[in-house]
Amino acid sequence: MIGSAGRPEGTARPEKTDCTARCQPGFGTAKAWVVDLDLEKFFDRVNHDRLMRAIARRVTDKRVLRLIGAFLKVGVMENGLVSPAEEGTPQGGPLSPLLSNIVLDELDRELERRKHRFVRYADDCNIYVRSRGAGQRVMTNVTRFLTRRLKLKVNEAKSAVARPVERKFLGFSFSNNKEPKRRIAPKTLLRCKQKIRELTRRTRGISLEQMLKELTAYLRGWKGYFGFCQTPSLLKALEEWIRRRLRSMIWKQWKRGKQRYAQLRHLGIGRDLAACTAGSPHGPWHLANSPALSSALPIAYFASLGLPRLFDGDA
């Protein structure tokens, strides 16, 4: 899943988060430009004959080869009809990431032969160079290699030669510090918030407990990957936004002034503050950050319902 110049042959390839960490060392040195390659419809374009020949060089068991061949030719169902697959690997299939590495191992070897510093995970590849001019030459040469040798197409619209801080890799971008830090890419954060909005829609018609159960499962998986970032302030801000959204949703569920007052009193809020908040003309999003709701529904309240922390620094 990863390749870099100087990797001893036969050594294990690191996990996805390791790939992102491997991007950083060159940023503060002379290697301050990146050739960011995006392969167009990679999983749809893999040539079956080339792939099977590459696999046959590593696997001698004909039964395994037949199974892989059947996996590749399983086809795609559209409108109830199955179309046979002439090329490509099933995107999302359990074997596809492994097969992608077999296909692109030839690219790794070529980049190592040229002594490039690079990192690759599946079809995402970054090559680090010393100047924009060098990057343009590498982009041209590698594109030619991919097209002629591997029969793959580079997506010119999504590929670029740029400063590393201007690009993202595997959902991360990088700060412009002297010692660059991993941060969550803006588009990644937007997708996360959109998913949280979908999970916490009041109109879903499910209980708060069920909603938090689904949200917790999503956040644990998300944190397991993106908690690897080096900008904890962003995680802290996201965590605060999530709690504010949940308070806003709960406030809407309480509906009327009398119920809101009773709930606030039940959660330990004084009479005057509870009455002032329950009768406030402000909307749920504004009140979700009010002293009353922040005290009634603190971090400990959501923790008691199983909501995980994204930022583990302070309480």
Side-chain angles (χ1 to χ4, degrees):
M1 294 181 183
I2 181 174
S4 68
R7 174 175 58 82
E9 188 170 353
T11 57
R13 296 175 186 259
E15 293 300 323
K16 201 171 184 179
T17 48
D18 293 332
C19 293
T20 313
R22 291 280 288 277
C23 293
Q24 288 174 268
F27 289 1
T29 69
K31 290 183 182 294
W33 291 84
V34 61
V35 180
D36 187 0
L37 286 169
D38 183 272
L39 298 179
E40 186 173 301
K41 297 182 178 178
F42 171 73
F43 288 99
D44 297 332
R45 294 181 180 273
V46 172
N47 183 282
H48 286 180
D49 291 336
R50 289 187 59 84
L51 174 57
M52 291 306 299
R53 283 198 298 270
I55 295 171
R57 289 196 291 268
R58 296 167 170 81
V59 178
T60 57
D61 191 324
K62 293 184 178 180
R63 294 170 300 176
V64 174
L65 293 174
R66 282 197 296 271
L67 281 172
I68 295 174
F71 171 81
L72 293 173
K73 292 179 170 57
V74 69
V76 178
M77 179 177 285
E78 292 181 306
N79 301 320
L81 299 175
V82 177
S83 303
E86 300 293 334
E87 61 179 3
T89 66
Q91 192 159 0
L95 275 182
S96 293
L98 173 62
L99 297 177
S100 73
N101 277 322
I102 292 173
V103 172
L104 292 174
D105 187 65
E106 195 169 346
L107 171 63
D108 293 349
R109 301 304 175 191
E110 179 65 16
L111 294 177
E112 289 172 348
R113 186 185 68 79
R114 298 182 186 189
K115 301 189 184 305
H116 287 310
R117 182 187 183 90
F118 72 98
V119 62
R120 181 182 67 77
Y121 186 91
D123 58 332
D124 290 318
C125 182
N126 280 185
I127 307 168
Y128 302 99
V129 296
R130 296 179 184 275
S131 67
R132 180 185 289 275
Q136 296 291 357
R137 289 192 296 274
V138 170
M139 175 72 81
T140 299
N141 292 335
V142 173
T143 298
R144 186 183 299 120
F145 174 83
L146 288 166
T147 303
R148 295 180 179 177
R149 187 74 168 268
L150 301 184
K151 310 301 181 186
L152 297 171
K153 185 176 180 181
V154 172
N155 187 328
E156 295 182 4
K158 293 184 178 180
S159 300
V161 177
R163 295 288 189 182
V165 297
E166 298 170 4
R167 307 297 291 178
K168 67 181 180 69
F169 185 68
L170 303 179
F172 288 92
S173 59
F174 301 91
S175 69
N176 201 19
N177 303 46
K178 185 176 181 181
E179 294 185 6
K181 294 182 178 180
R182 292 182 301 275
R183 62 186 181 189
I184 300 166
K187 287 185 178 180
T188 301
L189 189 61
L190 286 175
R191 284 196 295 269
C192 173
K193 286 189 170 184
Q194 183 56 38
K195 180 64 176 180
I196 291 169
R197 288 187 183 100
E198 292 172 6
L199 291 172
T200 57
R201 281 201 320 269
R202 186 171 58 95
T203 55
R204 291 187 65 202
I206 61 176
S207 67
L208 176 63
E209 290 74 16
Q210 179 60 30
M211 184 180 291
L212 281 172
K213 183 178 179 181
E214 294 178 14
L215 179 61
T216 293
Y218 171 73
L219 290 177
R220 281 180 178 157
W222 191 90
K223 180 186 177 182
Y225 181 67
F226 289 105
F228 178 66
C229 77
Q230 295 173 311
T231 49
S233 59
L234 191 150
L235 293 178
K236 185 177 181 181
L238 177 59
E239 190 178 86
E240 290 171 351
W241 178 84
I242 293 170
R243 287 195 298 270
R244 186 174 181 181
R245 179 165 178 81
L246 290 172
R247 290 188 192 111
S248 175
M249 186 209 68
I250 292 170
W251 187 250
K252 290 177 185 177
Q253 285 186 338
W254 289 346
K255 294 184 178 178
R256 293 180 177 82
K258 286 186 178 180
Q259 184 182 5
R260 288 170 173 172
Y261 175 80
Q263 290 286 357
L264 289 173
R265 292 289 293 132
H266 175 71
L267 292 168
I269 304 303
R271 287 189 177 87
D272 291 344
L273 184 56
C276 181
T277 306
S280 172
H282 294 296
W285 183 250
H286 179 90
L287 291 173
N289 233 18
S290 67
L293 279 177
S294 296
S295 298
L297 304 171
I299 293 173
Y301 172 81
F302 293 110
S304 70
L305 296 176
L307 190 70
R309 298 293 305 272
L310 299 180
F311 173 72
D312 300 316
D314 58 9

